[in-house]
Amino acid sequence: MEACNAYYYATRDPLGADGDFTTAPEISQMFGEIVGAVLADCWVRAGKRADATYVELGPGRGTLAADALRAMARAGFQGEVHFVETSPVLRAEQAVRHPNAHWHDAIEELPRAPLLLVANEFLDALPVRQRVDGIERTIEVIGGALAFTRDGVIIEDSPARRDAVAALAQRLADNGGVALVIDYGYPASAPGDTLQAVHGHQFAHILDRPGEQDLTAHVNFGAVAEAARDGGAEVTPLATQGDWLQRLGIAKRAEALSETFPGRAKEIAAARHRLCDVQEMGSLFKVIGIHSTDWPAPAGFA
Ligand code: SAH
């Protein structure tokens, strides 16, 4: 999974209608604006530190960062922009919108400053392990084709995600700050196979076209919270994306945008529906906040 995704992201921009999948910030500017407003609110309440830094893990096309930073600038935020991104293709795309950003290969390379961090659909791309009866399920070449070695009740875990969240929490604990982690996933460990492949906006077989299709697995938010606490940070309750965006006023933002752009009212309403409705992204996608003990908890959680 790690090798396939490294090749996959290094060789293309997978986002948008011509690619393989679409993400919340690509659906509507409202998503990034609300993320930015929440980060800016924490920054203001923590005393507007001039050394606070905007950080994004896996920023894709840089759309979320553009919308968030526009909202944060209205609150007076002018800090540096740091991206953790391994794909050269996506780094080039991000540089178009964020020419002054700084790029890093890993969380450990981030500056030692208070962080205002967001990771949307980043953890799902990090590799998972699957076990059946306690034995790791692997892939072999059987009869000239790739095949899984065993079937049965599958238990997933992800050391790569645990390490990423622990590293991020440790940074927050050391230097202060707040993080929003948004992804599709479930609240606590449960048996099940969530590994999936997407190609051209359709589900595909996981072992088809290695490195040429998007591989993800649902995020175990219980494990995220545990890793964050182990790293020395505090966590908010888990919220569904729909509840979170609604508590933070997406309806008002949609109304204001529709008044400014009356010709786009239908498209704005459709985007809000897609982000919030329980049948769409509203319930499967979850949001959790992670913050240092000396920074306020982000808004929007029950
Ligand atoms: N956050 C964006 C893009 C999500 S796609 C959005 O919401 O639109 C996943 C992103 O994570 C891509 O930018 C991809 O290149 C990056 N990525 C995947 N694996 C990574 C890794 N191991 N280290 C750093 N970035 C990674």
Side-chain angles (χ1 to χ4, degrees):
M1 188 177 178
E2 186 176 8
C4 286
N5 274 350
Y7 178 81
Y8 174 77
Y9 283 107
T11 49
R12 77 209 69 208
D13 170 3
L15 292 148
D18 298 335
D20 289 325
F21 60 91
T22 300
T23 57
E26 300 297 332
I27 291 169
S28 168
Q29 69 186 79
M30 295 186 286
F31 183 81
E33 288 169 346
I34 288 172
V35 165
V38 168
L39 294 177
D41 169 58
C42 286
W43 175 69
V44 169
R45 285 192 282 148
K48 295 196 178 187
R49 289 197 36 176
D51 59 344
T53 298
Y54 177 86
V55 175
E56 202 172 321
L57 310 182
R61 290 179 166 172
T63 309
L64 169 52
D67 295 332
L69 286 163
R70 198 175 56 249
M72 292 166 78
R74 269 185 232 126
F77 178 78
Q78 294 180 329
E80 286 183 0
V81 174
H82 289 257
F83 293 149
V84 175
E85 173 62 70
T86 41
S87 161
V89 173
L90 288 171
R91 278 189 182 198
E93 186 111 20
Q94 292 151 18
V96 174
R97 275 171 160 159
H98 306 281
N100 298 322
H102 305 264
W103 282 267
H104 307 277
D105 286 326
I107 292 165
E108 287 80 0
E109 295 168 16
L110 287 168
R112 303 214 163 258
L115 306 182
L116 302 164
L117 184 149
V118 58
N120 185 60
E121 291 209 42
F122 170 75
L123 288 182
D124 67 48
L126 302 188
V128 291
R129 283 181 169 164
Q130 296 188 327
R131 283 189 181 75
V132 174
D133 296 327
I135 301 166
E136 185 161 12
R137 189 181 190 228
T138 57
I139 296 159
E140 285 179 0
V141 178
I142 297 170
L146 297 175
F148 284 104
T149 51
R150 59 190 72 238
D151 287 309
V153 178
I154 289 168
I155 308 280
E156 290 180 348
D157 79 337
S158 175
R161 292 174 186 174
R162 196 168 53 227
D163 292 351
V165 174
L168 139 68
Q170 199 146 22
R171 272 314 172 87
L172 294 177
D174 288 349
N175 301 103
V178 55
L180 296 169
V181 175
I182 308 155
D183 224 310
Y184 37 95
Y186 46 96
S189 235
D193 179 8
T194 76
L195 185 59
Q196 65 182 45
V198 169
H199 183 73
H201 299 267
Q202 308 271 346
F203 288 114
H205 191 276
I206 292 153
L207 300 180
D208 285 352
R209 294 179 288 257
E212 302 291 345
Q213 50 187 20
D214 180 53
L215 293 182
T216 62
H218 289 204
V219 171
N220 176 354
F221 278 94
V224 170
E226 197 179 292
R229 284 195 201 97
D230 287 348
E234 291 187 19
V235 296
T236 65
L238 187 64
T240 66
Q241 176 172 297
D243 287 348
W244 190 71
L245 292 173
Q246 275 155 6
R247 278 191 210 112
L248 292 163
I250 193 171
K252 275 206 178 135
R253 185 65 191 128
E255 212 174 283
L257 274 177
S258 301
E259 273 168 25
T260 314
F261 306 105
R264 289 179 46 206
K266 259 196 182 159
E267 171 206 324
I268 292 162
R272 180 184 151 203
H273 181 82
R274 194 155 164 211
L275 292 174
C276 297
D277 190 81
V278 292
Q279 309 281 4
E280 304 270 348
M281 298 174 79
S283 163
L284 176 60
F285 281 74
K286 313 276 191 306
V287 191
I288 198 166
I290 305 172
H291 61 102
S292 59
T293 51
D294 55 343
W295 270 58
F301 301 90

